[in-house]
Amino acid sequence: MRKPDAQIENSGLIRTYAINDAMNQLILSRLEPRAWRAEPPGHRRNVRTIAAIFAHLHNNRLIWLKNSAPHRKCRARLDPENCTMKQAAAAHKKSAAQCLRMLKDAFSDGSKRRVTKFSRGSWAPTWPAGATMFAYMFSHEAHHRGQILMLAHQLGYRLPDEAVAHGIWQWDTLWKRAGLTTPRR
């Protein structure tokens, strides 16, 4: 029996979000530790270090979970000034798993669906849960991954191609490592 088109598309979005944190973990595992707290070039007030960007990503996930799926508990916030790479990796792994569960619930058709809205915080309007929620979550992290890669390069700690060109852009490989199937047409 063939799945309805919406269900096929939703499973593709879930699969794509499932590798989102794999991309972050790959960067964390290959990042030169000296880049973690290095001052950004042309350092000005309110310019984030790589550590602060990773903390921001995790802390935003916590806001999304608190506002959109309060039944999904997660680790405490990361302190952008003091968190270590190891703490960030562990926190990201747990918050990513909870965000994935939140998205699965948001896309479910069941009567037990608990995630019906997506709130980014008090500063922004609330959206219905679903594809827009996924798009915002994924693009927010992709934007900051780009910042991290650019900043590491500017600091003289460019990540090896195995992590970038042959890593975060190899979705089929990431899906396989995560035990997921490659989308079929």
Side-chain angles (χ1 to χ4, degrees):
M1 185 168 148
R2 190 169 177 257
K3 291 182 182 180
D5 289 343
Q7 192 175 354
I8 291 169
E9 186 57 35
N10 292 345
S11 69
L13 295 177
I14 294 298
R15 199 173 14 260
T16 298
Y17 193 81
I19 64 164
N20 183 61
D21 195 58
M23 295 176 198
N24 294 343
Q25 295 293 339
L26 188 59
I27 292 169
L28 279 164
S29 72
R30 301 299 194 282
L31 182 67
E32 166 61 48
R34 292 176 292 179
W36 187 245
R37 294 216 182 278
E39 294 291 324
H43 181 66
R44 301 181 314 273
R45 191 176 149 113
N46 295 327
V47 176
R48 292 181 176 132
T49 62
I50 290 174
I53 296 170
F54 272 108
H56 168 77
L57 288 172
H58 170 74
N59 294 342
N60 267 269
R61 289 176 178 173
L62 298 184
I63 291 167
W64 302 337
L65 288 160
K66 177 184 172 192
N67 293 333
S68 307
H71 57 286
R72 295 275 169 216
K73 301 300 179 209
C74 204
R75 293 179 71 99
R77 292 176 50 86
L78 284 173
D79 179 352
E81 302 298 320
N82 296 309
C83 68
T84 65
M85 290 173 71
K86 186 176 180 180
Q87 289 168 332
H92 270 250
K93 188 173 187 174
K94 291 189 178 183
S95 63
Q98 290 294 54
C99 283
L100 182 60
R101 289 181 187 106
M102 177 175 68
L103 281 168
K104 285 179 179 177
D105 186 18
F107 283 124
S108 72
D109 295 343
S111 60
K112 295 182 181 181
R113 179 180 176 210
R114 294 175 74 181
V115 178
T116 59
K117 65 180 176 99
F118 179 57
S119 173
R120 298 169 288 153
S122 60
W123 59 271
T126 300
W127 297 335
T132 305
M133 173 185 193
F134 160 83
Y136 184 85
M137 292 169 67
F138 191 82
S139 63
H140 178 260
E141 297 212 5
H143 161 71
H144 288 298
R145 266 192 300 276
Q147 285 184 319
I148 290 164
L149 293 172
M150 180 184 69
L151 183 53
H153 182 75
Q154 289 173 338
L155 291 166
Y157 302 113
R158 184 179 180 148
L159 274 78
D161 277 348
E162 68 175 66
V164 183
H166 305 294
I168 64 173
W169 289 109
Q170 299 303 316
W171 290 21
D172 289 330
T173 302
L174 293 171
W175 279 320
K176 187 176 179 180
R177 282 186 202 150
L180 302 168
T181 58
T182 303
R184 305 253 184 249
R185 288 195 177 246

